[in-house]
Amino acid sequence: MSTKSQVTYVNADGLIVGRMSSKIAKRLLDGEHVTILNAEKAIYSGKRKSKIAEAHLFLEVGAPERGPFHYRRPDRMLKKTVRGMLPYRQPKGKTAFKRLKVFMGVPLEFKDQQTVQFDEAQASKLKGPSFTLAELAKEIGWNQGE
């Protein structure tokens, strides 16, 4: 277990969403506080058309008034991806999830922070097509003014 006061800053620019999320979930469960920056620049792998069609189908599930509610903002989408990799219904998962912060862009208070890079999650290792989380969010109805 690491110390509770340790904060890890992750720059999501050019990192694959799923691989990055699994690494972050592990760190959260180990007791670290994790702050993700540039969430909208995280990369999804695969063909854009099929992923967007899949997202549209997923968004149609549920009753609009009662839920489930599906986020369209890139930072919230990324936060929910990490939550899916945590045992968030158990106390240890809930406390781990509370240690996560996700931001679009880089806020001024984090400008000079040293960021962690996950070599296994680099999008440069992908051979096939890919696109950013912001592109997916725009296609499924995200208005940047939110």
Side-chain angles (χ1 to χ4, degrees), residues 22-63:
S22 65
K23 299 286 182 191
I24 289 170
K26 188 171 186 330
R27 286 176 179 244
L28 289 169
L29 288 171
D30 286 342
E32 289 183 35
H33 290 260
V34 178
T35 301
I36 303 174
L37 309 170
N38 287 322
E40 75 281 3
K41 295 180 183 176
I43 303 290
Y44 264 119
S45 61
K47 291 184 179 175
R48 184 178 176 159
K49 272 188 174 180
S50 64
K51 291 287 184 180
I52 290 170
E54 190 178 302
H56 277 293
L57 267 174
F58 177 71
L59 290 171
E60 291 173 7
V61 175

Side-chain angles (χ1 to χ4, degrees), residues 14 18 22 42 57 82 96 106 130 132:
S22 65
L57 267 174
V82 174
V106 182
S130 62
T132 65

Side-chain angles (χ1 to χ4, degrees), residues 9 13 26 31 49 51 53 60 62-63 73-74 92-93 97 102 104 106 108-109 113 116 129 131-132 136 140:
Y9 298 95
D13 189 6
K26 188 171 186 330
K49 272 188 174 180
K51 291 287 184 180
E60 291 173 7
R73 281 180 49 165
K92 70 177 181 180
F97 187 62
V102 182
M104 290 193 294
V106 182
L108 290 174
E109 65 257 29
Q113 296 295 336
V116 173
F131 55 98
T132 65
L136 175 65
I140 61 172

Side-chain angles (χ1 to χ4, degrees), residues 15-127:
L15 296 180
I16 301 168
V17 172
R19 293 179 189 180
M20 173 185 61
S21 297
S22 65
K23 299 286 182 191
I24 289 170
K26 188 171 186 330
R27 286 176 179 244
L28 289 169
L29 288 171
D30 286 342
E32 289 183 35
H33 290 260
V34 178
T35 301
I36 303 174
L37 309 170
N38 287 322
E40 75 281 3
K41 295 180 183 176
I43 303 290
Y44 264 119
S45 61
K47 291 184 179 175
R48 184 178 176 159
K49 272 188 174 180
S50 64
K51 291 287 184 180
I52 290 170
E54 190 178 302
H56 277 293
L57 267 174
F58 177 71
L59 290 171
E60 291 173 7
V61 175
E65 326 69 60
R66 294 190 311 251
F69 301 105
H70 304 292
Y71 298 115
R72 288 167 170 81
R73 281 180 49 165
D75 56 338
R76 289 187 171 186
M77 290 167 71
L78 186 57
K79 193 168 184 173
K80 193 166 182 183
T81 302
V82 174
R83 188 191 83 169
M85 297 185 182
L86 292 170
Y88 67 93
R89 292 184 180 170
Q90 297 175 8
K92 70 177 181 180
K94 283 182 184 176
T95 56
F97 187 62
K98 288 177 185 176
R99 291 191 289 266
L100 175 67
K101 291 182 183 177
V102 182
F103 296 97
M104 290 193 294
V106 182
L108 290 174
E109 65 257 29
F110 304 123
K111 268 293 192 229
D112 300 325
Q113 296 295 336
Q114 190 71 25
T115 59
V116 173
Q117 285 291 349
F118 301 119
D119 292 332
E120 313 84 35
Q122 292 293 331
S124 58
K125 294 185 177 194
L126 291 175
K127 292 179 175 68

